[in-house]
Amino acid sequence: MTAVAERPVPVGSSGPPPEKQRFRLPRWTLGLGVLVVWIAIWAVTKGQDTLVLPGREHTDLHDALTGFRDSVLGSRDTNPVIQLTYQLGESFTSAVDWLQRLVSVPDFPRPVPQIGWLGVTALAAWVALAIAGWRTAVLVGLSFLSFGMFGYWSDSMDLLIVTFVAVAASVIIGLPLAVWVGTSKAANTVLSNLLDLMQTMPTFVYLLPIVLFFGIGASAAVVATLVYALPPIIRIAGYGIRSVPETTIEATDAAGQTAVQRLLKVQLPMARKTIVVGLNQTIMAALSMATIASYVDGPGLGKPVLDALVKNNVGNAFVPGMLIVVMAVMLDRTTTAASERSELVARGGGGGATLRRVVLGASALVALVLVYLSRTYGWAAEFPATTWGPWLSERVDSFVGWVTATFGGFTEAVKNVTSDLLLNPMQSLLAESPWWLTGVAILALAWIVGGLRASLSAVVCLAGIWYLDLWHDAMITLNMTLVATLMVMVLALVLGVWMARRRGVDLILRPLLDAGQTIPPFVYLIPVLALFGPTRFTAIVAGIVYAAPAAIKLVADGVKGVSPNTIEASRSTGATTWQEITKVQLPMARGSLVLAANQGLLYVLAMAVIGGMVGAGALGYDVVLGFSRSEEWGKGAAAGLTIVLLGIMIDRITRAAAERSQPTR
Amino acid sequence: MLSCSVLAISACGSGSIADQTRENEKKAADAGNCGDLNMAVNPWVGYEASAYVVGHVAETELGCKVDYKELKEDVSWQGFGTGDVDVVIEDWGHPDLEKKFVEDKGGDGSATDFGPNGNQGIIHWYVPPWLAEAHPDILDYKNLNKYAKQFATSESDGKGQFLGADPSYVQFDEAIVNNLDLNFKVVFSGSEAASIQAFKKAEADKEFLIGYFYEPQGLFAEVPLKAVKLPPYTEGCQDVPAEVACDYPETELKKVVSTSWAESDSSSVDLVKNFTWTNDDQNLVAKYISTDQMDPEEAAKKWVEDNPDKVDAWLKD
């Protein structure tokens, strides 16, 4: 559904060797040629063979998929696989339940949990102190206090618990797979396609099957979160293990080590930092599932967000949504600081060990005293009610009311202009052309941009999309994705360059970008709906909010990575700032720009389903329909698979383009 | 959810934890034979109103431990067979789910029809009140084409826009538009929130809007939408989806429950069986929740205290 995990760049994957430079037409002229021919044929064939399927109709293939689901559902009392997974689900539920009674819900007959807020906060801060240092401990302490101050202590703890259980399971399953991916090329190829599927398949498609196999509530929430949070750790940790320098391995192999020794003594320790980055991304991905998990009664902060959405109440959705962001930032900074610290300790730094032991011992005693208090006294067990939450949600409500009243007319105009000038003409070309014309045109463009391999991927994906009977919807979704990505790239270029050149801007923007990436879209859907109505443009705005942060960060990092010597050289020739940016920094960072476009496209596509909930129709609507009405499940599944195929096709084409444009370093 | 659990409401935040623990143990020993009641809460405010009123009575009068589970319809029905869900308090008719789960419809028998809950589900094509007032003739479908241009939006390809709704509901609007030769295109809002927002905005900004909507719904307290007359519903006129050219029928909303729970000896079974109330009742509680921003528990408590006679009728055996 949503992809917070940034895919690592596959360095050293089997890309084509850099081509020999010889004279030929620049690629963009070829692309333009394809476009001109396409438009010429479209002008005479428009409206034929567009394979339109009305919103509430489905085909035999969709019925066959539904029938398959029904037969599995019909066998639920006798099917041994379901019996087994159900047991597994029960164990997740009981783990979550046990932890809930420990820190978040009353452990009957006690009127309060076993450990109250004071004790939990103290313990969390102590853990942060032990693994990451005192700055992080303060951050963690304050975050936990904010959960209580805004009145969502119990929901916040629930979300932490579900995240913790899902991430623990991800590590147990993911690390062995990461080792496998890191040490075997074949495994890497096979698994990476499967991981693509897991990351791009909209969650709504597999929520109902998960309920069927694992039950409702915490178990379904944990499994749905697991499916989505597992890929980053496998990918990133695997990449880390793969990138341990050959020379190091050869040198230690010469000492006659076994494969196990090589793994434990060389590969894992040397990849430690990358593995922690993988863990960090897995945690972020898990948190982004908070609201989706509440669709199957998963406990956590997603619940109040969805509740507020049902009542069209922005303010009430904002507060828990903001706390999800607080939690994400807290966990992100903690894991990052912990990884830096472990690196320091591993290299023999990290300050006096004796002093550290004394400090940790003393603070552990304090924490234990606070735990005791929170088990005994009501005030330390149950967070006192404050007016902070209601106060903030009222402020947000009136602010949103003011914004929509003030800018409603302006935003309506923006939406209409964008739709008339960009969305509608492009959609007409993509979706109103006969399917064979659009297909051939996409293939030609794929070949020009990405070469032979990219066009082979495109053939397979287009054939799949055609087979799944939702061609017309797929083209409408593709069009929205392209328009949104265009806007994301404009934002990314402007803000990314600005961030790279000004440290102050970077410091101010980063937290905002983190918030954009982690705040559940359900929080800002209502105001965006109020501004733009139920339209494709609303979906595009949601896509931009979610995708722009990743693209901006990538562009900023790419521009920062341009070697200072080159910039110095250009300055000495008297280049203006504008020339410096356009002639030196951006061309040198071309690889990052294409990667930013790749991530932007995939992130926008991840929001397709949300788009379906706000009037954009197309594949997103089909997926929500499949989740909402049992007889349409097959259509939803077909739409989900179509989204996956679109994602893979876009990914392969842009990645091939990135490899081609990578300047030799 | 609630900062103080209902059980400990009297002593919340004060007194020692040990005292309250003893009190709770005593209370648990005195509780009747109800046990746990798993109440599905489907995502619309009217449903929430019914669920919490029944839940509140079960908790206070019968000593049940009510667990509210926020789920959409399909998931709720799947939960009957697994013991995750006991009661769906407001069902708008799901023939496909009945085929899978209701015994005499060919299902596995995990779901049981528990009869009407007194609410009438009304579905129509609606326009915002300002429009009905400014152009009264718009309330007849025959005149819609006259106004098609005004209904056009950036999404409707130059035709008038008809706003379809959340995909959870049975909708034949594409067929109706087609078969009545209306110059309109159906654009699906995709969620109830989007539809409500659109109607609110249309009323506030005096915009042309026509769309699928239904009662009982809390929105009517704020924006009393006006229904557009379609060819009247007759028995069987919606049997073939592609040929539908008539209005939607009134639906008798009903309760659907888990068979194994219905056969248990829980005292909450009779309560759910007897539960029935009117659209006005539901709209009032829905207004408490959405407009007055009351907590659903509080809203239910208020209504139950104000309507002792109705509640007593449900508790009679």
Side-chain angles (χ1 to χ4, degrees), chain A residues 137-212:
Chain A
V138 172
L139 173 77
V140 168
L142 287 176
S143 302
F144 271 74
L145 286 180
S146 73
F147 300 149
M149 290 308 285
F150 286 102
Y152 288 98
W153 176 261
S154 177
D155 286 331
S156 304
M157 290 306 101
D158 285 349
L159 177 56
L160 265 181
I161 289 166
V162 169
T163 306
F164 172 77
V165 174
V167 168
S170 297
V171 171
I172 293 168
I173 300 168
L175 269 189
L177 287 174
V179 169
W180 193 37
V181 163
T183 49
S184 140
K185 260 211 158 62
N188 186 24
T189 316
V190 173
L191 264 180
S192 77
N193 282 318
L194 181 67
L195 297 183
D196 282 342
L197 178 79
M198 283 162 81
Q199 279 189 303
T200 47
M201 176 61 96
T203 317
F204 279 125
V205 173
Y206 56 81
L207 266 187
L208 283 169
I210 280 181
V211 166
L212 173 59

Side-chain angles (χ1 to χ4, degrees), chain A residues 280-315:
Chain A
N280 169 306
Q281 289 300 327
T282 282
I283 293 173
M284 293 296 118
L287 275 181
S288 71
M289 292 297 285
T291 19
I292 304 295
S294 36
Y295 272 96
V296 286
D297 199 46
L301 280 169
K303 271 194 170 173
V305 172
L306 273 195
D307 262 358
L309 187 78
V310 167
K311 303 182 182 67
N312 279 44
N313 187 322
V314 192

Side-chain angles (χ1 to χ4, degrees), chain A residues 350-497:
Chain A
T354 330
L355 175 69
R356 194 159 168 262
R357 263 190 227 116
V358 171
V359 171
L360 280 183
S363 51
L365 273 179
V366 174
L368 287 176
V369 169
L370 294 182
V371 169
Y372 169 77
L373 288 180
S374 78
R375 285 182 50 77
T376 321
Y377 296 103
W379 58 268
E382 188 121 50
F383 219 97
T386 71
T387 53
W388 288 28
W391 176 85
L392 182 62
S393 67
E394 265 167 48
R395 283 287 146 309
V396 171
D397 262 341
S398 55
F399 174 72
V400 167
W402 173 80
V403 168
T404 48
T406 314
F407 299 105
F410 169 71
T411 50
E412 182 78 9
V414 170
K415 176 204 81 178
N416 287 337
V417 168
T418 316
S419 301
D420 290 343
L421 296 185
L422 208 59
L423 263 178
N424 291 344
M426 278 178 66
Q427 180 171 315
S428 182
L429 185 62
L430 270 167
E432 300 308 317
S433 289
W435 66 269
W436 44 264
L437 175 61
T438 308
V440 169
I442 292 177
L443 272 183
L445 291 172
W447 187 73
I448 290 164
V449 177
L452 184 63
R453 278 176 60 105
S455 46
L456 283 180
S457 301
V459 170
V460 174
C461 293
L462 288 171
I465 292 170
W466 177 84
Y467 174 75
L468 289 166
D469 286 339
L470 292 166
W471 180 272
H472 189 255
D473 282 353
M475 290 307 120
I476 295 176
T477 295
L478 178 61
N479 175 51
M480 282 190 281
T481 308
L482 293 172
V483 171
T485 309
L486 197 69
M487 297 182 172
V488 164
M489 284 314 288
V490 170
L491 272 176
L493 284 175
V494 173
L495 294 176
V497 170

Side-chain angles (χ1 to χ4, degrees), chain A residues 54-57 66 69-70 73 76-77 86 106 108-112 151 154-155 208-209 211-212 215-216 294-297 303 306-307 309-313 316 374-379 381-383 385 397 408 412 415-416 419-420 423-424 427 526 529-537 611-617 621 624-631, chain B residues 1-5 7-8 12-18 20-22 24-25 28 43-45 48 67-82 84-85 93-97 100-101 108 110 153-155 157 161 163 165-171 174 187-194 196-198 200-201 207 242 289-290 293-294 296:
Chain A
R56 296 306 287 258
E57 283 176 31
T66 307
R69 195 277 311 256
D70 288 351
L73 179 63
R76 69 178 170 182
D77 296 334
Y86 218 85
F108 194 82
R110 281 171 68 86
V112 290
S154 177
D155 286 331
L208 283 169
V211 166
L212 173 59
I216 288 169
S294 36
Y295 272 96
V296 286
D297 199 46
K303 271 194 170 173
L306 273 195
D307 262 358
L309 187 78
V310 167
K311 303 182 182 67
N312 279 44
N313 187 322
N316 286 358
S374 78
R375 285 182 50 77
T376 321
Y377 296 103
W379 58 268
E382 188 121 50
F383 219 97
D397 262 341
E412 182 78 9
K415 176 204 81 178
N416 287 337
S419 301
D420 290 343
L423 263 178
N424 291 344
Q427 180 171 315
I526 303 271
L529 275 167
L531 289 171
F532 304 106
T535 57
R536 286 162 303 163
F537 194 79
M613 292 181 173
V614 293
Y621 176 84
V624 183
L625 176 67
F627 176 63
S628 304
R629 291 205 72 84
S630 58
E631 68 272 24
Chain B
M1 195 62 202
L2 285 174
S3 57
C4 318
S5 72
L7 292 164
C12 180
S14 65
S16 86
I17 291 175
Q20 284 180 47
T21 305
R22 275 193 292 279
N24 285 347
E25 278 168 342
W44 58 92
V45 180
E48 199 174 24
D67 197 353
Y68 298 101
K69 304 200 170 185
E70 287 161 31
L71 303 164
K72 286 188 91 153
E73 300 95 302
D74 276 30
V75 190
S76 316
W77 283 64
Q78 268 194 34
F80 288 147
T82 57
D84 285 312
V85 174
H94 288 90
D96 191 66
L97 291 171
K100 290 191 184 70
F101 303 113
D108 63 5
S110 57
T153 69
S154 60
E155 307 304 293
D157 303 338
Q161 171 182 286
L163 193 65
D166 185 308
S168 307
Y169 314 127
V170 179
Q171 293 162 75
E174 286 166 313
V187 171
F188 290 100
S189 77
S191 60
E192 194 186 52
I196 291 176
Q197 198 60 41
K200 278 185 178 172
K201 186 167 182 274
E207 290 165 351
I289 296 173
S290 58
Q293 295 219 26
M294 280 168 91

